[in-house]
Amino acid sequence: MIAIDIERAAAVLAGASLKSFLIVAVAGLVVATWRKSSAAARHFVWTAAIGATIVLPLLGVLMPQWSSRAISMRFLEPTVATTRALDGRPQPSTLDRSTSTIDEQVATLPTIASASDIAASTVASPRVNEEPIAPIANPPALSMAANALDGLREIGWAKAALAIWLAGFVGALLPFCFGRLRLRRIASSARVVTNGRWAGILERVRASGGITRPVILLETRDAAMPMTWGILSPVLLLPAGTEGWPEWKCRNILFHELAHIERRDCLTQVIAQLACAVYWFNPLVWTAAHRMRVERELACDDRVIGAGSRPAEYAGHLLDVARSLRPARATAHAAIAMARPSQLAGRLTAVLDRERNRERVSPRFRAAVGAATLGVLLPVASFSPWVAEASASPNAAGTRASSSSRYAASTEGSGASASARALKMAVQLPPVAITGNLAGGIMPIIKAVQSSDAALGLPLAPAPASTPAHAVVRAATCWQSKQEGSINFSINDNDSRNTRTIVRFSRDDCTLELRADGRFTLRPDLSDVATLERGSLFTIEERDGRETRRMEIRSGADGLEHVYYVNGRRADYSPEARAWLANTLLAVERRTAFAAETRVPQIFEGRGAKGVLDEVTLMPADYAKSRYLTVLLKQGINFDAPTLTRIVQQSAREMNSDYYLAEVFKQVGTQPLADENTWRAFADAAVGMKSDYYKAQVISKVLSRERLDVSTVATLLKAASTISSDYYQAETLKSMSKRYAVTPQSRPYYLAALGRIKSDYYKAEVLSALNNGDALDATTTSAILKSVGDMSSDYYKSEALATLAKRGRLDASTRGDYFAAIRSIDSDYYKHQALNESLRERPLTRETVAGILSVAPAIKSDYELSALLSELARLYPIDDSLRPAYDRAVDSIQSDYYRGAALAAARRASTR
């Protein structure tokens, strides 16, 4: 049977626990620095870090250890202030084991802590024959600590620590084990797919992606989400009822799951699960495992998009999968599902980000990260965070034991307190025992034992008296008196009838809770509660450091009853208490607007919309401003245009949050009396918004109205040109393309916004939407063609030009720009496609044919050029005027075969 050194194992595990913090923290710093790196690169860094934490305990046993005296466990050894015994001799300031024995260090404790010496120390001249008094009882906290240390000594600190760790280790692995059992049951009931539609698509996907690893396809009987598992024999589970799915959806699913298999993500997931089980108490390891999962899914999404899937279509597919399918129960820790809802929001944003780095990890990068990981891992693994206790001789342990026994014998008869026993046991613990959380629990006790009068049996100092109930209370709340710190508050209204309201606020050491169980209204000046539903309770409690104030307002037969407490004791409902209540209600309402539903109608009835807007100006929080304005606009009143314009202008001027600003603008957009000034204020507000999402929302809200003035449209287009996100800018331009892109006054601003879109994909979407409208004038068409020429993607250039040709946008004034855009295409294939589309013009004109022949020699591919010329000769006769241009194009063909094919096509056309 193999003997295990429990203390050695616990020490190694404790050391690895401390080192794991460093390893994961370094990885987090690297990932944070490489923000523009790909998801695959970030995933590999996290994987290397978690893998390093797994081998830390093994390396701690196998590798020679080094340590530094400057970084040792001696900093945890207890220290005491220099004191003097009753005989006037100074006592040691530290319990230094290297210069004195434990007997010598603790021998003074019975003398100091004895009841007779304590009694003698309280008089000016000690009397020799004075009777001893009973020892003073120790504080309960120190007695409990001593009892806990007694129990720890009896079972052994190492055994206790290992038992706790083992319990956590097993608990962390249980979900993974249950998940594996669940997967085995799913696989046993599923059907193996060896042929048919899915098998054919799988082979094509593997061939196009260069994926060589074998995979087992299973089809379940349920509508389960596609997922994969298995390290040596990968399994891919497909849902039932997929016969009607288009091939591109099946291709996306297979490419995503095969990317997991190719990257061996099932193996890295098992490594992460094991690391979380070993270091179940380390939050950094759990965070690293979570980031691994996030980056893993993003990397596979990048792989799908890199294979040719359109981002918008793939994002919609992910959303459909998450909405219509559900992952198999209890499999999250053992399998990788395609689109778990918890990760979907971030993935959709990443998929639609056209500027995102989607590169895969190269072998050179893997080698560099591996070398860097070893460079950090080996020194850290060989470092020992604590120094072993120095022994003067091999009998040091025996000396310690005997001295401890003598000390125990000497204290039992002297009435030593449990505090002294706690100090004795703390001194006896081996240095390695005082580590991590254990040190955090023991050291305060040791310091309290050594430095406090209670530890020596002296009477405790009296506690400070509570604040008298009649103390004067400040009128200002701690919200108003403290400007520093962060503000956090929450409002819960968990009843649709508004019968319960809870407001919580916190900032530094200031907290407040307001609770109303029942309907209520406030006085217009917010000085008090005006009405409260019968039998209900309205309470406000504020804690400012150690001081607490609480007001309870009840509704009784004789009206409202106010009960006021200060520091838990009832106090008079004095003018100071009334002032505190009024200030607190005012501060709470102006920050949280918890009573907006009743107070806004009160203000509007008394002072009109201007009164509500004046009150909004006094509110420091955007949430409260938005709440008041939203309630005002929901009153069912059709406000006139000047009032609506003022609401928009004041909101834009006073509110910083785009979210709350957009909430107000949504309600303004529903008002029927808004005029051109209101919409121009909308456009001006959109220019100042920071969020592309909300800026696009505001602009779209304005554009949903009837035709606008040209100056308003120009302002909206200027605002759209400030949107940095290609997606939101494209959506905004598409929404206004049919109305405002073709007017001469607004066209320059529209084209300026279009030119700011960097992504060819979204630029092509805007151009496609523009082409779907009414007939465009020549100037607009030329501007579109210029935008097409600025695109870098040959594919999207070809698509946009083909759309223009199909819509019949070309005429004598724009044909030259069209063929100039075709010349900018580098790919012979896409150049042929664009020219071929122009051949479908009906009727096909001589000018179009001449333009095609002028561009044809730029095609370097003999096959593509021969096919184009053959098609042109078939559709349009090559007469003497066109023959020179046709021959020049034929002469640029290098292959005799393809040159002959083009000439033969021309001859056949001339004989018809």
Side-chain angles (χ1 to χ4, degrees), residues 362-599:
S362 64
R364 181 177 298 180
F365 180 84
R366 294 175 186 271
V369 173
T373 303
L374 287 177
V376 175
L377 173 62
L378 295 180
V380 171
S382 61
F383 173 71
S384 177
W386 21 72
V387 180
E389 183 181 5
S391 299
S393 68
N395 297 326
T399 304
R400 179 188 296 258
S402 62
S403 63
S404 301
S405 301
R406 291 196 301 273
Y407 173 74
S410 65
T411 55
E412 285 177 359
S414 61
S417 66
S419 303
R421 293 199 307 273
L423 175 59
K424 173 199 70 174
M425 287 180 289
V427 172
Q428 292 181 51
L429 287 175
V432 75
I434 311 176
T435 63
N437 294 333
L438 188 58
I442 293 177
M443 291 315 299
I445 300 173
I446 295 176
K447 291 181 179 179
V449 169
Q450 295 168 335
S451 59
S452 69
D453 292 341
L456 301 177
L458 298 177
L460 296 173
S466 301
T467 304
H470 59 275
V472 177
V473 179
R474 294 181 290 105
T477 68
C478 63
W479 306 33
Q480 301 163 318
S481 61
K482 296 186 177 182
Q483 301 300 323
E484 74 284 354
S486 60
I487 299 175
N488 301 292
F489 68 86
S490 60
I491 300 177
N492 298 326
D493 180 9
N494 51 8
D495 194 305
S496 59
R497 296 172 298 172
N498 196 27
T499 59
R500 171 170 293 182
T501 303
I502 302 173
V503 180
R504 295 185 177 92
F505 168 90
S506 65
R507 179 170 64 186
D508 299 337
D509 56 350
C510 173
T511 61
L512 182 140
E513 179 176 291
L514 181 150
R515 181 185 294 267
D517 296 319
R519 301 176 187 273
F520 69 93
T521 61
L522 301 179
R523 291 180 180 176
D525 61 355
L526 291 179
S527 62
D528 200 351
V529 176
T531 62
L532 183 62
E533 192 173 13
R534 189 174 184 83
S536 301
L537 176 65
F538 186 101
T539 64
I540 301 179
E541 183 171 355
E542 181 189 50
R543 181 183 298 275
D544 184 6
R546 295 184 177 181
E547 185 180 25
T548 61
R549 294 180 289 274
R550 178 180 175 87
M551 182 73 72
E552 296 182 357
I553 304 176
R554 294 182 173 86
S555 177
D558 299 330
L560 299 181
E561 177 188 3
H562 296 70
V563 182
Y564 184 54
Y565 298 90
V566 178
N567 295 329
R569 300 174 63 185
R570 183 162 181 172
D572 295 334
Y573 186 49
S574 60
E576 291 81 7
R578 292 187 178 92
W580 173 80
L581 175 62
N583 276 276
T584 302
L585 286 175
L586 180 65
V588 173
E589 175 62 15
R590 283 184 174 170
R591 287 190 182 277
T592 67
F594 71 95
E597 295 288 347
T598 57
R599 188 160 185 259

Side-chain angles (χ1 to χ4, degrees), residues 729-738 750 762 765-766 769:
Q729 192 171 87
E731 290 298 307
T732 304
L733 294 179
K734 285 194 297 185
S735 65
M736 67 173 67
S737 61
K738 295 183 180 180
Y750 187 93
Y762 290 115
E765 279 198 339
V766 175

Side-chain angles (χ1 to χ4, degrees), residues 803-833:
T803 303
L804 279 170
K806 289 176 182 177
R807 300 293 179 185
R809 308 297 190 193
L810 304 179
D811 56 18
S813 60
T814 59
R815 193 172 285 111
D817 294 331
Y818 177 81
F819 290 115
I822 293 179
R823 285 191 187 92
S824 67
I825 298 176
D826 295 327
S827 167
D828 291 336
Y829 171 79
Y830 289 117
K831 193 176 291 182
H832 177 198
Q833 292 294 106

Side-chain angles (χ1 to χ4, degrees), residues 137-147 460:
N138 290 283
L142 290 175
S143 298
M144 293 174 62
N147 294 335
L460 296 173

Side-chain angles (χ1 to χ4, degrees), residues 677-693:
N677 292 328
T678 307
W679 303 131
R680 193 170 293 113
F682 255 89
D684 292 335
V687 174
M689 298 179 80
K690 300 176 287 295
S691 167
D692 291 339
Y693 172 75

